[in-house]
Amino acid sequence: MKIACVQMDIAFGQPDLNFQQAAGYMEEAVRNGAETIVLPEMWNTGYALTELEALADSTNRTLDFLVRFAKEHNVNIVGGSVSTKKQGGFYNTMYVVNNSGELVSEYDKAHRFGLMDEHIHLEEGSGLGTFELDGTVCGGVICYDIRFPEWIRAQALNGAKVVFVPAEWPEARIDHWRILLQARAIENQCFIVAVNRVGSDPKNEFGGSSMVIAPWGEIRLDMQKQEGIGYADIDLSEVEEVRKRIPVFADRRDPLYDSFKKID
Ligand SMILES: NC(=O)CCC(=O)C(=O)O
């Protein structure tokens, strides 16, 4: 699977500009042979959370755009995430469209990040976010979700061999980002494909460092703070190989963990 990570800047509260930018990067990725394109978190509006009533996608604009592009170019798209308006309120939503133009996942961010006011403006999702691309079970989580190891584990236990992580992660905590992603790859013995934005908004400067991490923990792509597209080829047989070498999944002891589960 040749993956293209789009580490873009995002214009604050300007969806039209962001759609234009994303389309440009996606066309470049296709020209360079990408089979799967990955976008960052909230790429339509950025964290313009107080303006969601006017700006959040309530018309399927994103989905139509991704479906059309995927079909026309025969490419999978992990559509980062966008702000959406649905019944019940606003969400931080990841759409995944396969290379036939079929929507294979619509995942709403499960854990809201208080330091960026998500708990005030957004609803939380409750779906798992696993899906299939080219016959491989994949997972998708969004940014702050990676601080919850049990959440990524749930995806791995449901078969995910590649977990995609779009983000808007500030530079101030970029060391957490790097370490958490590497830990999630090693403990779940899966590929992690993580795409963060660069640039800044009125409150934060963002740290880039989009990465592709192999199941043994090696960093195969590290974009640091460079704006643009990074590419990595991933060989899915590595997942089986690592899981055979150290059979973490076979050695797990669910009944033991359950017996010590703290009930509030
Ligand atoms: N957009 C986010 O979820 C940011 C998460 C973050 O910065 C963190 O430290 O966690």
Side-chain angles (χ1 to χ4, degrees), residues 25-224:
Y25 280 125
M26 287 159 65
E27 276 155 19
E28 182 183 332
V30 165
R31 279 197 300 277
N32 288 321
E35 291 166 319
T36 299
I37 299 173
V38 191
L39 298 172
E41 182 183 20
M42 294 280 263
W43 63 263
N44 60 342
T45 57
Y47 267 80
L49 298 184
T50 57
E51 300 169 53
L52 289 183
E53 189 58 54
L55 298 178
D57 184 348
S58 58
T59 62
N60 276 340
R61 175 182 188 180
T62 312
L63 193 52
D64 293 346
F65 165 73
L66 298 178
V67 165
R68 210 174 324 116
F69 192 95
K71 247 196 231 167
E72 191 179 329
H73 298 283
N74 188 33
V75 68
N76 301 311
I77 308 171
V78 177
S81 77
V82 289
S83 61
T84 55
K85 185 180 183 191
K86 307 185 195 181
Q87 238 180 3
F90 300 107
Y91 290 84
N92 185 338
T93 304
M94 176 194 292
Y95 295 115
V96 182
V97 175
N98 70 16
N99 51 22
S100 309
E102 293 157 350
L103 174 68
V104 293
S105 176
E106 177 174 342
Y107 167 79
D108 296 318
K109 188 175 185 176
H111 304 90
R112 294 175 297 182
F113 187 54
L115 285 189
M116 286 163 71
D117 289 344
E118 288 191 317
H119 63 305
I120 300 171
H121 300 283
L122 300 177
E123 305 302 318
E124 59 197 7
S126 315
L128 182 61
T130 49
F131 52 90
E132 220 177 281
L133 284 182
D134 298 334
T136 298
V137 180
C138 301
V141 297
I142 303 176
C143 204
Y144 182 50
D145 282 335
I146 64 162
R147 288 190 184 268
F148 302 85
E150 54 275 61
W151 194 228
I152 321 303
R153 175 67 100 209
Q155 301 217 342
L157 289 173
N158 278 275
K161 292 183 172 174
V162 185
V163 176
F164 294 92
V165 188
E168 289 210 26
W169 195 289
E171 170 77 21
R173 294 179 296 283
I174 207 68
D175 49 344
H176 289 194
W177 162 259
R178 301 178 71 89
I179 292 165
L180 288 167
L181 289 170
Q182 220 169 351
R184 297 296 89 90
I186 294 169
E187 71 199 358
N188 292 296
Q189 303 179 310
C190 65
F191 281 97
I192 296 280
V193 176
V195 176
N196 191 21
R197 65 165 289 186
V198 285
S200 55
D201 73 8
K203 289 193 180 153
N204 286 294
E205 183 181 337
F206 297 94
S209 306
S210 297
M211 290 190 283
V212 174
I213 306 171
W216 193 250
E218 309 105 311
I219 297 173
R220 296 280 169 79
L221 171 74
D222 182 352
M223 295 184 70
Q224 311 224 340

